[in-house]
Amino acid sequence: MPNDAQPLPEIARAVREDDLRNSQPVYAVWEITLRCDLACNHCGSRAGKPRPDELSTAQALDTVRQLGEMGVREVTLIGGEAYLRHDWPELVRAIRAAGMNCSMTTGGRQVDAAMARTMADAGLQQVSVSLDGLEATHDTLRGVRGSYRAALRTMDLVREAGITIASNTQINQLNFGELEQIFEVIAEHGSVGWQVQLTAAMGRAADRPEWLLQPYQVLELMPRLIRLKRRGNARGITLFPANNIGYFGPHEGELRTLFGSGGHWVGCTAGITTLGLEADGTIKGCPSLPTAEYAGGNLKSDSLRDVWQRSAKLRVVRDGKELWGFCASCYYSDSCQAGCTWTSHVLLGKAGNMPYCHHRALELAKQGKRERIELREKAPGIPFDHGTYALVLEDAPELAAQADFLARPLPPGES
């Protein structure tokens, strides 16, 4: 830290023993530029132009050093579009030289054979290509015609260069009916992993409330995902849920069998094992968290270790979120801690109450009830921003009649 720099007020003077014992950054997601060649209409960071004060190459390389010294095992480079930063191959090589695994998430619009070879030569071990629907849906969501075909081309070129290919999909109203077809596409193009997550009410997605799933739709989504997971198992494709999908329904154990957690959600990892970095050096406990509320420091003025160990903003999840609403009295509250901090905060203005929960939807269904979200306050229009939604509890007597069926585990072998 420069001698004339002052730590942020949220950084405590002393390190707590609990922070040393119960938290260790293992996985870092690093936005290395906000510059992007797509115009995604569901982009949480509202990417497009680079931030005016992004880290220099020297600062970025020093960040790699600090990540390695902190014991981080894997770094995923994201954007914007990570390959639009001129020195990205140098950063990949540095990450690998420091003993960390390195992957990249991309929309793939400008990847050609030469870039794919550069990725391999630099040491990238996995590239995850975003695929958010069939052609018309994907191009609508990504905001650029031709982005679907570019994504498929990228998958083929990167795989041919010898790099493992994975895929990721945000689930929303536009592609809700296409998940099975998306699976077939990624299988055809050689993906070995498929991460699925809900589109959250952040950034440009916050401007399109009609695109967001309603909480009760998890009742249909979860059995479909289990069927897809089983199809993937049979074809060498691992479907794994992001942190805003699931929670203690009848399919939870099967959905999370790969996470070493006994087959169930064990709570948000922001600031516990997960670290998020923005291109200007902002440090957060999770890359998706709203910057205004969760930025704990900046690499230009603070050491990564100091922020990780002593920033109040990175201690939020470690200290236990304040639960409210349905989550406050839930049977699973001690373990679950109200699910994904990011998704609940950007929806309701604070963490601690997560309506996109399978267990919750099933419990409400038994009562002939369901929850619906309604936009009340629009987002201001800056990166990682959000509006505010209201939860509306409404009668749904048809769900009470189906409650027992909805709560049944999918029979073994059914796919």
Side-chain angles (χ1 to χ4, degrees), residues 37-43 130-149 151 170 172-176 178 199 204-205 208 210-211:
D37 51 13
L38 293 171
C40 300
N41 289 305
H42 57 333
C43 179
S130 302
L131 197 71
D132 286 324
L134 301 181
E135 186 166 7
T137 301
H138 179 92
D139 285 2
T140 295
L141 283 163
R142 293 286 159 179
V144 175
R145 184 176 296 178
S147 59
Y148 175 82
R149 296 187 183 186
Q170 289 197 31
N172 49 59
Q173 298 289 7
L174 275 69
N175 62 22
F176 192 58
E178 299 179 355
T199 297
R204 294 191 191 117
R208 294 168 173 83
E210 70 278 7
W211 286 9

Side-chain angles (χ1 to χ4, degrees), residues 259-393:
F259 291 83
S261 59
H264 66 82
W265 167 256
V266 293
C268 176
T269 61
I272 299 176
T273 58
T274 302
L275 172 69
L277 302 175
E278 294 181 5
D280 62 357
T282 297
I283 304 167
K284 301 186 292 188
C286 166
S288 300
L289 288 170
T291 304
E293 295 92 338
Y294 291 95
N298 192 288
L299 291 160
K300 293 175 181 175
S301 58
D302 305 296
S303 80
L304 181 59
R305 187 178 299 276
D306 282 347
V307 174
W308 178 269
Q309 293 180 346
R310 299 193 283 124
S311 170
K313 297 294 182 69
L314 272 72
R315 290 172 169 175
V316 169
V317 178
R318 297 176 213 165
D319 290 347
K321 292 176 285 185
E322 181 180 350
L323 307 189
W324 58 285
F326 184 98
C327 291
S329 59
C330 178
Y331 175 81
Y332 298 107
S333 61
D334 287 347
S335 176
C336 182
Q337 282 289 297
C340 177
T341 306
W342 159 54
T343 305
S344 56
H345 190 117
V346 299
L347 190 70
L348 302 174
K350 62 178 180 177
N353 188 21
M354 175 56 163
Y356 290 101
C357 167
H358 196 199
H359 168 72
R360 175 172 177 158
L362 289 168
E363 290 298 300
L364 292 174
K366 293 177 185 178
Q367 305 168 32
K369 303 285 186 181
R370 70 179 193 181
E371 287 179 313
R372 183 168 48 82
I373 57 171
E374 287 185 353
L375 179 64
R376 294 294 169 86
E377 183 179 350
K378 293 183 178 180
I382 58 176
F384 294 100
D385 64 347
H386 59 89
T388 305
Y389 285 73
L391 273 177
V392 178
L393 183 65

Side-chain angles (χ1 to χ4, degrees), residues 206-260:
D207 301 335
R208 294 168 173 83
E210 70 278 7
W211 286 9
L212 303 176
L213 290 190
Q214 290 293 341
Y216 59 82
Q217 288 181 279
V218 301
L219 295 170
E220 177 186 345
L221 174 63
M222 296 310 298
R224 288 174 64 193
L225 290 182
I226 289 301
R227 290 186 176 95
L228 286 168
K229 184 175 180 67
R230 291 178 181 179
R231 287 167 63 180
N233 291 343
R235 298 172 66 174
I237 303 169
T238 302
L239 182 151
F240 56 100
N243 288 352
N244 65 2
I245 287 181
Y247 315 133
F248 298 98
H251 314 304
E252 180 76 2
E254 188 171 356
L255 189 67
R256 298 191 186 276
T257 51
L258 294 180
F259 291 83

Side-chain angles (χ1 to χ4, degrees), residues 44-96:
S45 61
R46 300 184 184 269
K49 296 180 180 180
R51 298 179 190 272
D53 52 353
E54 295 185 349
L55 296 177
S56 67
T57 298
Q59 290 169 328
L61 291 174
D62 186 66
T63 299
V64 174
R65 175 190 62 79
Q66 293 187 67
L67 289 168
E69 290 177 353
M70 285 288 289
V72 171
R73 299 175 192 168
E74 180 177 354
V75 179
T76 295
L77 302 180
I78 64 169
E81 183 56 80
Y83 61 64
L84 292 178
R85 182 178 167 114
H86 70 94
D87 57 0
W88 70 264
E90 186 176 358
L91 300 184
V92 174
R93 287 192 291 269
I95 291 166
R96 300 289 287 119

